Amino acid sequence: MDTLTSHNEIADSEAQPNKRRRKKSIVWEHFTIETIAADCTKACCKQCKKSFAYISGSKLAGTSHLKRHIALGICPMSRTNQDKYQLASNNAAAQTNGSAVKSRKQYRASPGPTSIPFDQTRCCYDIAKMIIQHDYPLEMLEHSGFNKFVRNLQPLFSSVSVDTIQEHIFNIYLSEKQSLLNIIGAIPGRVSLTLDLRISDQNLGYVFLTGYFVDCDWKLQCRLLNVIMVPFPDSDIAFNHAVAACLTDWCLETKLFTLTLDQSVANVNVRKNLGHLLSIKGGNILNGQLITGSCCARVLSQLAQYALDSMRPIVDKVRQSVKFVKTADAHEEKFLELKRQLQVPSAKELIVDDQTKWDTTYQMLITASELKEVFSCLDTSDPDYKVTPTIDEWKQVEILCAYLKLFFDAANILTSPTYSTADVLFHEVWKIQLDLMQAARGQDHFVSNLTKPLHEKFDKYWNDCNLVLAIAVVMDPRFKMKIVEFTFNKIYGEEAESWIKIVDEGVHEVFCDYIVQSLPPPPASFADEAHDSFVIKSEFSQDDSFLPNGDTFADFDVYLHDIMSNQQMKTELDQYLEEALMPRSQDFDVLGWWRINRSKYPTLSKMASDILSIPVCTVTPDSVFDTAPRDLDRNRSSLRPITLEAVSCAKDWLQYESWEPPYGTPAAIVKMEY
């Protein structure tokens, strides 16, 4: 009886607080106390009316679970009340302790990040972006492991279908596409395209069309524009449809400048058909001579592979030696100890190459060559090592590496995260052409046999691209025509003058094309005045038309205007070429120089920006050293063409701009055929 009386007193004191014992916890702004029985009292939420244990028998449940009900956002209370609860809890903690430091119990009770309300739509967008950015398969949404993982992270998340996520993917794609359309529409210059072909598991061709252009801030930009399926990639006209569709899709009919293909698809008929298409679209500059039919990265890769294959037995010997050291700790310890004893100065570490990337094989050979003394002595200290290359073989490896370095240095330019202008590659390409030519004609039998086929292969690329690269380097104020004269004299000798003339005429012909574009149309007032004058005179006299009246020479005035403008623009190019060269520096920004001087060279600066943005490579930076073309993987091949294009393009675009939907806004569902 005494116990029951005591419990009732506790309940009464909680239900009717007095001055002696006043409840300070903020939770009582959201809960009321209800007496269920003589020994049972519960707290009832004012918002959701849910009851929670408070007093049961002699046990007092406390308020921690009540605080969690508020903090976790389970109860449909307003954000304002949550903020008020947060502030009140902090103030109460400060008053209790006399400082801002919370006790462990108060810290555990304080609401944290879990007070953020759950947003299902935002999660769907994040999943869509995750699939785009990391090439995850759409079927991942149906995997039990994924759904279990997400539910453990957020029990409120509802599983979503593949169709729902595809709609979010299209939303992201269309939003980013509109932003890119705005950027391309505002650029002052033209766009150059690259065409890369990839094959799916079903032997269907997919053309990846990438655009290169200089934006309004005079920065070189590169964006994947379209992924278009071509059912019969071996056809000579297979790529005409893809290019035409890209031009229409991005409103580039009047902005196309050049097209760069890969030699694997750029046969004579393909280039002829594309040249005809470009002439119709108004982009056939220099009668199609700026259509490049070779990807620099793939040319360099093929040369490197050919050089490695020509010395395959020796390369395999070095590879086996490196594997012997790197695949067993005991072997590596002996190798390092022997290196220390021999005092070999090389600080490089041996690597086992990845034969899908030829640059790793080059790095392996370079490192092993520097440690050849250690390998030569390794067989005496480790009887298990039996593949020692001979001294002559090591010398041949060093010669091989010297020519691989030419290819490596040129290809390394193409791996830069910021795309290099076309003039940069000229310096590497002409050195390769000259070195291979001289080596192939040299007296050393081994070097000649190694480099002669390399030069024959590279000479085809040089003949295909030297005009484009030469015109590009002329647009670099540090070199202009002087570098063309210097390099061509070394390469062509007595025939250099005719080759230099081709470049000089090409520069002027392209410039004339820009002059024609920049000329204003004939003033309408000229034609109107001439017409009115003729009508008036015919009413009075047939002979007045022969009078030297100014209006009679309206067409002649237009003709003079064209000539004067033409002469003025031509002097713009001549003035640039005659001025002194700029000092050479590694951090020189050639596009920045033209941006600063665009008022001095209004027409030439437009020409320079377009020429310097001509792409020389059709593959992405991470594929430059690949030993084989990349085809579509199984996940991408299983997608419908429209979905594949949306995922591929959005992945490329999201590298540059992070797309975030406005917080709390519902998804704009896009209905598309996919």
Side-chain angles (χ1 to χ4, degrees), residues 18 107 113 268 365 451 459 559:
N18 51 35
Y107 185 82
V268 175
L365 294 175
T451 57
D459 190 57
Y559 173 74

Side-chain angles (χ1 to χ4, degrees), residues 502-522:
I502 291 174
V503 176
D504 184 67
E505 291 177 348
V507 172
H508 282 82
E509 186 175 340
V510 175
F511 185 66
C512 287
D513 182 76
Y514 278 79
I515 292 174
V516 172
Q517 292 184 27
S518 62
L519 286 175

Side-chain angles (χ1 to χ4, degrees), residues 21 42 61 75 133 182 212 288 342 369 405 479 506 639 649 661:
R21 186 177 181 183
K42 290 191 175 183
C75 181
Q133 293 174 319
N182 295 337
Y212 290 74
L342 295 172
S369 181
K405 186 178 187 303
F479 301 102
L639 299 176
C649 292

